[in-house]
Amino acid sequence: MTDAQETAADSSLRTTGGAPPDDVETAPTPLLEPRDGIPPVIADEEALAEMIAAYAGGTGPVAVDAERASGYRYGQRAYLVQLRREGAGTALIDPVACPDLSGLGAAIGDAEWVLHAATQDLPCLREIGMVPSRIFDTELAGRLAGFPRVGLGAMVESVLGYVLEKGHSAVDWSTRPLPEPWLRYAALDVELLVDLRDALEKELDRQGKLEWAREEFDAIASAPPAPPRKDPWRRTSGMHKVRRRRQMAVVRELWTARDKVAQRRDVSPGKVLSDGAIVEAALGLPPNVHALAALSGFGHRMGRRQLEQWQAAVDRAKALPDADLPQPGQTVTGPPPPRSWADRDPAAAARLSAARAAISSLAEQLNMPQENLITPDTVRRVCWEPPARVDEASVSAALASHGARAWQITQVTPALVTALA
């Protein structure tokens, strides 16, 4: 048992579960319950100020989590923020009622924030004024340590021996008031994050990977916000079926019209019009509302006004001059898709094949996913345009220019030098 497991077992955590069957010697894995009960949701400035003071006076790392309403609402804003810190307990905050949490962010800004899959939550936390200076990502730590399953529930069960309540991860967190079972689920998400962090830190240290993890965490914490995606309409599901430029224009017009409606109504774009319907309209190029209504996704439940709105988008695309039609395919920076390398540059294809084999073997030796050892995009870029003179110094410099961390460069460079040669 790890020290974290002993800490969890010796704490005041309440667990539930009946007696095991007669033919089973071990007790069932205990179902975790919040040790302090479910705290009230903070939804006014006075309660928030008290909570900030308590957290400023707390000690040690701060467990942080956020719940969004993906699939229900427009965008990726936070609808609940959960925190836990030694000396301050667990807090649940409604960021709709308290949209500015910069005071809280400042109060705990010097502490290490413990998150699970940090890159998912940091953008929505940044929007409400919460920006960490240091983090520990338990999901990424699990990947680097070689755990086969790195979901929070799987990690807590395998490392700490407790079962987290399941079933509410994909609910509509914009619901108000939030049901008590959902709040229990949310509170449990931060209940043992610090215990998990401590256990994973010891495991990473045992494997000689702790400094690697710290480099990764620092890179995440210091990364700037991602720039807006160029031509997001090109990511419409089923887009591969759309070949002609005029059809692409229909996708673009419908996607843009849908996005404006979804943003105005604050609902997920998929609830306004499905991607499948957009592609059907692009392929069919309906001449009128009657023809549009016959297409899949534009059924009898859609009103005349809605149909006219979508047909107007189709008509706008059909009326565009050829010069304004989208080009087939995005402007790509960097190497072409690997499937075309054998024809365009056989030597580069050979380099990539050797590099992939070397990285795969090294990742297996280090017991971690290949993409965490080095990103596939970095490998492709170095193989497509290798240094003029291939040696450890030049390959290290190439890797660094593409954003590889120091530990990655140290581990990967010798394998890539051999592959590129």
Side-chain angles (χ1 to χ4, degrees), residues 305-381:
R305 184 176 178 182
Q306 289 177 295
L307 288 170
E308 289 175 346
Q309 172 183 247
W310 305 131
Q311 183 62 43
V314 173
D315 292 341
R316 285 195 300 272
K318 292 167 69 174
L320 286 173
D322 289 349
D324 292 340
L325 297 177
Q327 294 298 320
Q330 295 172 280
T331 302
V332 177
T333 58
R339 62 179 177 272
S340 67
W341 286 29
D343 293 329
R344 297 181 59 173
D345 189 338
R351 290 193 295 266
L352 181 61
S353 178
R356 283 174 165 174
I359 296 300
S360 176
S361 176
L362 182 57
E364 187 174 349
Q365 293 174 34
L366 295 174
N367 190 28
M368 69 171 65
Q370 295 179 43
E371 63 270 18
N372 292 115
L373 174 58
I374 192 74
T375 66
D377 180 68
T378 298
V379 175
R380 287 194 294 268
R381 288 174 184 270

Side-chain angles (χ1 to χ4, degrees), residues 29-32 65 116-117 138-139 147-167 169 185 188-190 192-193 196 200:
T29 304
L31 180 66
L32 188 65
D65 191 27
H116 192 81
T138 51
E139 189 218 32
F147 282 80
R149 298 169 60 218
V150 293
L152 181 58
M155 294 285 286
V156 166
E157 184 171 355
S158 64
V159 176
L160 302 178
Y162 284 92
V163 175
L164 291 179
E165 186 172 332
K166 301 176 182 179
S169 60
Y185 168 92
L188 289 174
D189 270 359
V190 293
L192 288 181
L193 262 184
L196 182 60
L200 290 171

